[in-house]
Amino acid sequence: MNRKLTLAAVAVACCSSYAMAQSSVTLYGLISTGISYSSNTKGADGKGHGTVMMSSGVLQPPRWGITGNEDLGSGLNAIFTLESGFR
């Protein structure tokens, strides 16, 4: 039974015709990170200390996205962009 089903699937795959359209999808992202230094930051002991820390989104907020173009046929195209930010 399993062999007949496999042979039928192969026959259908070989005999079917399909159209290929030109499409493109791009995954992109931006991570903006920097190092901040603060002098005279009050610590737990109440005294001022220097503090070094990593800061997110120094120049631009971090984000990632997907953009693309799908050919729908008959001269029509679908253009899409999906973008999201994160911290």
Side-chain angles (χ1 to χ4, degrees):
M1 179 72 175
N2 193 14
R3 182 174 281 229
K4 289 181 184 179
L5 182 61
T6 303
L7 289 175
V10 170
V12 169
C14 290
C15 296
S16 65
S17 64
Y18 59 93
M20 290 185 62
Q22 187 70 15
S23 64
S24 67
V25 176
T26 304
L27 175 65
Y28 64 91
L30 172 73
I31 297 176
S32 178
T33 308
I35 297 176
S36 300
Y37 174 76
S38 296
S39 62
N40 202 18
T41 304
K42 192 175 278 191
D45 59 0
K47 297 180 182 178
H49 302 281
T51 304
V52 177
M53 64 182 134
M54 190 166 72
S55 301
S56 177
V58 175
L59 298 176
Q60 293 181 359
R63 65 182 185 270
W64 72 276
I66 300 171
T67 184
N69 181 1
E70 180 71 31
D71 185 13
L72 301 175
S74 301
L76 298 174
N77 289 330
I79 301 170
F80 61 91
T81 301
L82 174 68
E83 189 171 288
S84 178
F86 60 91
R87 274 198 163 260

